[in-house]
Amino acid sequence: MASKANHHPSAARQRFGSDWRAGRITAWLTTVDHKRVGLLYIWTTLGFFAVGGVLALLMRAQLATPNENFLTRGSYNQVLTIHGTTMIFLVIVPILAGFGNFLVPLMIGARDMAFPRLNALSYWLFLLGGIVLLSSFWAGHGAAQGGWTSYVPLSTLHMPGHGEDFWILGLHILSISSLVGAINFIVTIHNMRTSGMTWTRIPLFIWAILTYAWLLVIVLPTLSAGLTMMLLDRQWGTHFFDPVHGGSPILYQHVFWFFGHPEVYIMILPAMGIISEIIPVFARKPIFGYKAVAYSTVGIAFFSLLVWAHHMFSTGLPVGLDSFFMLSSMVIAVPTGVKIFNWLATLWRGNISFDTPMLWSLGFIGVFTLGGLSGIFLAAFPIDWQLTDTYFVVAHLHYVLFGGSMFAVFAGLYYWWPKMFGRLLDERLGKLHFALVLIGFNVTFLPQHFLGLLGMPRRVYTYRPGGIWEVYNVISTVGSFLMAVGMLVFVLNVVITARSGRRASNDPWLADTLEWYTTSPPPAWNFDRLPYISNARPLRDVRRRLEAERWK
Amino acid sequence: MPAGVGRRAAVVALAVVAVLLVPAATAFAGNGGLLPPPAHSPNAHRIRDAYVFVMIFVGVVFVIVEGALLVLITRYRRGKRDRTQEGPQIHGSTRLEILWTVVPVVMLTAICGYIFYKLPGINDAPPAAAANQTTITVEGHQFYWLFRYPNGAVSIGTMIAPAGDVVHENITAPASEVNHSWWVPELGGKTDAIPGQTNHSWFQAPIGTYVARCAELCGIQHALMDATVKVVPRAEYEAFIAARAAAPGGLDVGKEEWQGVCSSCHRLNETYVGPALGGNPLLRDRDGIENLVRHGLRQMPAVGENWSPEQIDALIAYTKTLPKQKANGFQS
Ligand code: HEM
Ligand SMILES: [Cu+2]
Ligand SMILES: [Cu+2]
């Protein structure tokens, strides 16, 4: 743990060795450096993203035309389940943890996370959990087939083989990994901020990661409980969810969604934190309404614990409950709107540069807004009775998770790549990547709203021929392959940048936060010395001071 | 920024718009999916109204936010300015924060208000004084829908309902089943069929044929688990259920079972989800088939677990009429 004592540069240098990036495989296997752990997270999640993406393309290929025979029934359901579970548990949640690991100590001026070994543990558990989850495909009877929500009794009494057990075990391991990581974030952020960095001077991304971590700590135990009951029902003859013996299938849904809804905010809040970092920098203005943005993060997190049954409107809850969950869900829309309006106000009278990180951020606002608005239909429960479990929901969740979280992740990758690797990703390829994904994304998912309204249920491996369904489905498939091409451009960009990318200075974007104060990439000990923090934009202060000295 | 980039951005924007227009245009032509399907029951009508009401607000907000985004990034783009030039250092405005908190609150209150205003008409069926009442039980099974009528009659795959009556649906599934969700898009929203629990819904529809689908992942043939709701004149409905009740083991019942239940996984002459059944001796063996459908076998669910003996009779009566051999002539 970094204590005040070794803030002296040479002492730090001695303790941390020369270069945190030196050394080959063993150095990576044994690392406890937060930057390395962060990068391990990011590379691993990008690998899983490729897996999840290929699974998605398989589904879209099957759905391109009616009565297709490419990937049917059980196989389709396996792919569907592992796609969703991978994207959520192996991509978005951990890649945000990856950003957090790399950035939190740098942004708050610390030498490392509070518990570096625990940090390494959380990464290795994550990798293990991912492997266990994916090995579900090789179990007898194939992978789990219940969707990422894995409702019972389908997933308990009606799913033979061990695929489902691998799924449960994988999620168990991933929960422990996230829990350990979350505790580490909380302790780090509470205790290791550099001098002067009060709660209203920490970067908004730190607010977001702190809230993310608290939410994980609150809801993961519920998931673990649910998974354990499920495993007991499957393997040890208990009857928590078995109606034949007095158990309750609805209980599982409550347990799952008490975790599951906060989970969606776990996936979006840090993404919004990334957006709140990037927009001011490229608009050359401070974030509009720092406190409003920070408090709305906390507000969203709090209310996210009170809305879970909006996923259960069709299960026959009493109208009173339906009404409560409609109202609480509407309440959440308000702080979400506050964030969007503050970002827009940050653009107002700015000096906006359209570098790739900014393009992804602006794309995020445009696309996420649609996802948020479609959520209002779903929160109004009588309307939800028409829309739930249709392609409308698939469209909604991709607008918020792909158009939201993943767009922000790409914004963050383009933005912090120079800090992570010392080279800037190529701007032309970056813009091409963005354009292809933005167009492909909308072509894929916009028509899915219409499909849902027309009556196409979700989680179907095929549909009957006829009418406009065929048109929308084929459009959607074309869009998904367009996105895939965009992702290949990203891979190309990464490869080219690694070979011949432009070298980055400490602060290539003229940013505001502390991670840009040190070299790109930072030394093992992060900082030689730190400025005193007197507001939320220390780097701007530093730049202005240098400017002033130059003209003296 | 050089003019070239601005132009490129414009081209990209145009391309996006063009691509988005394609589905939007198709959607406008006919009911392409901008609204819920045409409604044929008062509750479905009101849900559609509520959808339109929300759509108006959402549409306005969408246009404002996306419009503001486009205007702001065009108006305040860097252009020829230096990258380092800062905009005015405005840190916020409490009045604006209040404004964009209160306006959405008002809007969402209006939406919730309208929902509550429509809710009774969606939830509560018209009273007995206003219309004839009928109750039909809807049972979800892997992978078929079974309907029970007030006089004990049963049908599978097709619900026959009296036109103009308020039809109360008791929606459920046997305790050993999985979750399903009963959905007739033109007659209202979904109601889950949950094992061991009974949920309620209703409709009141004119003569017509309506598609029903299962909307909850329920296993390998979930995608094809649909049904038909046939709304017919009351006399016809009554004749149907009377005939059914009089001959619960009849050949038509058996045919319905074969087509609605067995055929979702079996073909006579080819392997489908399950093996080909043409020529299978079980099709002539009442006890054998009863055992099979009541208890299932490996991957095959116990599709007939709660069937009456007459329903089994009906099945065997029908399967006995099937060809004795596979079409290709080999005895299996
Ligand atoms: C190339 C991009 C993608 C395509 C084409 C795609 C496509 C699909 C398809 C076809 C389904 C199945 C729908 C159904 O039958 O219910 C699906 C489900 C899902 N997708 Fe994606 N997807 C993509 C990216 C993502 C990303 C980035 C995420 C995560 C943020 C994600 C999260 C999900 C989730 C959570 C489900 C629901 C799974 C379930 O219900 O079990 N997808 N996706
Ligand atoms: Cu939710
Ligand atoms: Cu079903």
Side-chain angles (χ1 to χ4, degrees):
Chain A
M1 201 193 293
S3 70
K4 293 265 157 26
N6 57 32
H7 260 260
H8 191 275
S10 61
R13 215 168 289 232
Q14 240 171 17
R15 246 192 97 202
F16 285 84
S18 52
D19 183 358
W20 60 278
R21 286 155 70 238
R24 290 168 192 264
I25 297 163
T26 43
W28 283 93
L29 291 180
T30 57
T31 187
V32 294
D33 182 297
H34 73 97
K35 300 179 285 301
R36 276 196 164 180
V37 173
L39 294 186
L40 284 172
Y41 260 111
I42 289 174
W43 286 118
T44 313
T45 48
L46 288 177
F48 285 134
F49 183 61
V51 174
V54 169
L55 296 178
L57 293 177
L58 293 178
M59 286 190 283
R60 275 321 319 169
Q62 163 67 17
L63 294 174
T65 54
N67 293 338
E68 190 65 64
N69 260 318
F70 176 69
L71 177 78
T72 55
R73 302 189 285 277
S75 328
Y76 182 92
N77 290 350
Q78 294 175 36
V79 168
L80 160 82
T81 303
I82 302 300
H83 162 73
T85 315
T86 298
M87 289 301 191
I88 288 174
F89 289 95
L90 303 184
V91 179
I92 300 188
V93 175
I95 204 168
L96 296 170
F99 277 110
N101 267 303
F102 189 89
L103 292 170
V104 165
L106 288 171
M107 282 184 158
I108 65 174
R111 295 241 184 269
D112 204 312
M113 299 282 280
F115 308 115
R117 291 201 182 148
L118 218 51
N119 206 18
L121 177 70
S122 77
Y123 168 74
W124 292 106
L125 282 175
F126 158 62
L127 182 62
L128 177 66
I131 291 170
V132 170
L133 181 66
L134 291 184
S135 55
S136 177
F137 273 121
W138 285 272
H141 290 95
Q145 299 184 23
W148 84 281
T149 51
S150 198
Y151 275 9
V152 296
L154 180 64
S155 303
T156 46
L157 304 173
H158 299 262
M159 206 165 288
H162 287 295
E164 181 72 19
D165 302 312
F166 274 93
W167 185 90
I168 294 174
L169 213 57
L171 257 55
H172 259 316
I173 299 170
L174 292 166
S175 310
I176 299 173
S177 153
S178 284
L179 202 58
V180 169
I183 291 171
N184 210 350
F185 282 130
I186 293 174
V187 176
T188 306
I189 295 172
H190 276 272
N191 295 306
M192 299 178 62
R193 285 165 288 134
T194 185
S195 43
M197 190 168 281
T198 59
W199 287 114
T200 50
R201 293 176 193 163
I202 58 175
L204 286 165
F205 179 74
I206 300 292
W207 271 107
I209 287 286
L210 184 61
T211 318
Y212 155 100
W214 273 111
L215 273 180
L216 282 169
V217 169
I218 294 169
V219 302
L220 278 175
T222 319
L223 175 67
S224 301
L227 292 173
T228 304
M229 288 190 271
M230 197 154 130
L231 193 61
L232 291 174
D233 269 14
R234 283 177 60 81
Q235 302 298 345
W236 280 279
T238 57
H239 305 295
F240 291 105
F241 305 132
D242 173 7
V244 174
H245 297 88
S248 161
I250 285 291
L251 172 65
Y252 174 80
Q253 297 190 22
H254 282 292
V255 171
F256 181 84
W257 287 114
F258 182 79
F259 150 79
H261 182 86
E263 173 81 350
V264 310
Y265 283 98
I266 286 165
M267 292 189 276
I268 200 67
L269 288 176
M272 292 169 154
I274 292 174
I275 301 301
S276 301
E277 293 302 325
I278 293 177
I279 288 195
V281 170
F282 292 89
R284 311 299 318 143
K285 280 186 62 198
I287 185 86
F288 195 90
Y290 174 98
K291 284 192 183 162
V293 175
Y295 296 163
S296 64
T297 303
V298 180
I300 290 176
F302 175 75
F303 283 107
S304 79
L305 296 167
L306 298 175
V307 302
W308 74 90
H310 66 205
H311 296 271
M312 299 166 58
F313 283 146
S314 63
T315 60
L317 297 175
V319 185
L321 278 186
D322 281 343
S323 307
F324 171 82
F325 284 105
M326 168 173 77
L327 293 171
S328 61
S329 309
M330 296 287 182
V331 168
I332 273 209
V334 176
T336 308
V338 166
K339 281 183 187 287
I340 291 179
F341 293 124
N342 278 297
W343 291 325
L344 289 178
T346 306
L347 296 175
W348 176 60
R349 298 180 62 193
N351 178 22
I352 303 171
S353 301
F354 296 102
D355 300 285
T356 313
M358 185 62 162
L359 288 180
W360 284 101
S361 305
L362 297 171
F364 171 98
I365 300 182
V367 175
F368 180 80
T369 298
L370 183 52
L373 289 173
S374 63
I376 295 182
F377 293 97
L378 300 171
F381 62 93
I383 304 179
D384 183 70
W385 289 335
Q386 276 289 3
L387 300 178
T388 183
D389 268 317
T390 67
Y391 257 87
F392 190 93
V393 172
V394 177
H396 161 74
L397 80 88
H398 284 87
Y399 266 85
V400 290
L401 287 183
F402 196 119
S405 307
M406 280 315 285
F407 273 39
V409 161
F410 282 113
L413 285 175
Y414 279 92
Y415 182 61
W416 282 297
W417 201 270
K419 187 54 62 183
M420 292 168 175
F421 303 103
R423 290 176 190 269
L424 289 141
L425 282 167
D426 185 77
E427 276 290 308
R428 287 158 142 262
L429 287 175
K431 285 178 174 140
L432 180 63
H433 172 205
F434 170 70
L436 286 170
V437 173
L438 179 71
I439 297 173
F441 171 82
N442 283 294
V443 174
T444 306
F445 294 111
L446 192 69
Q448 293 187 0
H449 293 102
F450 310 139
L451 277 171
L453 281 158
L454 286 170
M456 181 159 165
R458 69 189 285 212
R459 297 174 169 171
V460 293
Y461 71 83
T462 194
Y463 49 96
R464 306 210 190 263
I468 202 160
W469 285 35
E470 295 190 25
V471 180
Y472 288 142
N473 270 300
V474 73
I475 291 180
S476 180
T477 299
V478 170
S480 68
F481 281 85
L482 204 57
M483 257 192 288
V485 174
M487 294 305 169
L488 291 180
V489 173
F490 176 65
V491 173
L492 185 69
N493 198 349
V494 169
V495 172
I496 290 184
T497 302
R499 295 188 166 187
S500 57
R502 199 150 54 87
R503 298 252 173 219
S505 62
N506 288 5
D507 181 17
W509 310 117
L510 306 177
D512 294 335
T513 39
L514 218 44
E515 75 274 25
W516 305 102
Y517 188 64
T518 184
T519 52
S520 302
W525 55 92
N526 287 355
F527 301 97
D528 278 339
R529 58 180 58 77
L530 283 163
Y532 180 81
I533 310 297
S534 54
N535 62 43
R537 297 194 294 162
L539 256 274
R540 179 167 177 271
D541 293 351
V542 170
R543 270 197 311 275
R544 285 163 63 94
R545 222 176 308 129
L546 288 180
E547 260 327 85
E549 268 163 33
R550 180 131 46 104
W551 298 112
K552 223 181 267 170
Chain B
M1 188 185 300
V5 176
R7 199 160 50 229
R8 228 180 303 147
V11 172
V12 171
L14 267 183
V16 176
V17 172
V19 172
L20 295 188
L21 276 181
V22 176
T26 22
F28 273 114
N31 176 35
L34 285 189
L35 294 174
H40 294 285
S41 172
N43 46 356
H45 259 295
R46 291 174 186 130
I47 291 179
R48 215 176 130 102
D49 292 347
Y51 183 92
V52 172
F53 187 84
V54 176
M55 188 59 151
I56 293 169
F57 284 93
V58 161
V60 169
V61 175
F62 180 77
V63 170
I64 291 178
V65 172
E66 305 287 348
L69 180 63
L70 289 178
V71 168
L72 287 167
I73 63 179
T74 319
R75 171 78 180 72
Y76 300 110
R77 69 185 185 283
R78 188 168 87 221
K80 295 199 164 45
R81 284 185 283 175
D82 192 78
R83 177 187 273 281
T84 54
Q85 190 183 321
E86 291 191 328
Q89 300 298 297
I90 307 163
H91 287 267
S93 150
T94 311
R95 276 158 95 193
L96 279 176
E97 299 295 344
I98 293 175
L99 180 76
W100 57 53
T101 305
V102 170
V103 172
V105 167
V106 171
M107 187 191 101
L108 293 168
T109 310
I111 289 178
C112 292
Y114 191 79
I115 296 292
F116 285 127
Y117 162 68
K118 285 284 175 185
L119 187 60
I122 297 170
N123 247 349
D124 311 335
N132 257 324
Q133 312 271 320
T134 306
T135 302
I136 298 176
T137 297
V138 178
E139 242 176 59
H141 292 254
Q142 282 179 324
F143 299 95
Y144 67 96
W145 292 102
L146 182 145
F147 308 99
R148 297 182 192 281
Y149 302 87
N151 66 347
V154 169
S155 71
I156 284 173
T158 305
M159 175 203 277
I160 307 286
D165 273 26
V166 172
V167 178
H168 296 270
E169 300 166 297
N170 288 331
I171 298 157
T172 183
S176 61
E177 261 290 332
V178 301
N179 298 334
H180 303 269
S181 188
W182 171 247
W183 186 31
V184 193
E186 289 165 300
L187 303 184
K190 298 173 194 69
T191 311
D192 290 357
I194 296 170
Q197 176 180 330
T198 303
N199 288 330
H200 302 274
S201 186
W202 65 278
F203 64 83
Q204 184 184 24
I207 293 171
T209 303
Y210 309 97
V211 184
R213 295 194 184 86
C214 177
E216 180 65 62
L217 178 61
C218 57
I220 47 179
Q221 287 297 61
H222 161 62
L224 298 176
M225 183 173 162
D226 39 23
T228 307
V229 175
K230 251 173 100 175
V231 179
V232 298
R234 181 148 243 294
E236 203 176 306
Y237 160 78
E238 268 162 6
F240 170 79
I241 61 170
R244 271 295 162 98
L251 209 55
D252 54 337
V253 178
K255 185 174 180 191
E256 217 175 67
E257 289 167 350
W258 177 261
Q259 290 178 342
V261 182
C262 316
S263 299
S264 61
C265 290
H266 293 286
R267 299 278 180 268
L268 275 179
N269 299 313
E270 56 188 326
T271 310
Y272 184 36
V273 180
L277 293 185
N280 191 314
L282 270 183
L283 297 186
R284 283 144 214 294
D285 168 0
R286 191 189 182 288
D287 293 343
I289 207 128
E290 171 156 22
N291 190 37
L292 181 67
V293 300
R294 284 210 193 283
H295 302 292
L297 178 69
R298 292 193 291 270
Q299 298 281 68
M300 173 173 158
V303 288
E305 193 190 14
N306 66 351
W307 286 4
S308 65
E310 291 79 10
Q311 281 175 287
I312 307 276
D313 292 342
L315 180 62
I316 193 83
Y318 180 76
T319 54
K320 278 188 178 156
T321 68
L322 293 170
K324 276 209 171 73
Q325 296 189 335
K326 267 193 187 175
N328 60 17
F330 289 105
Q331 195 88 36
S332 64

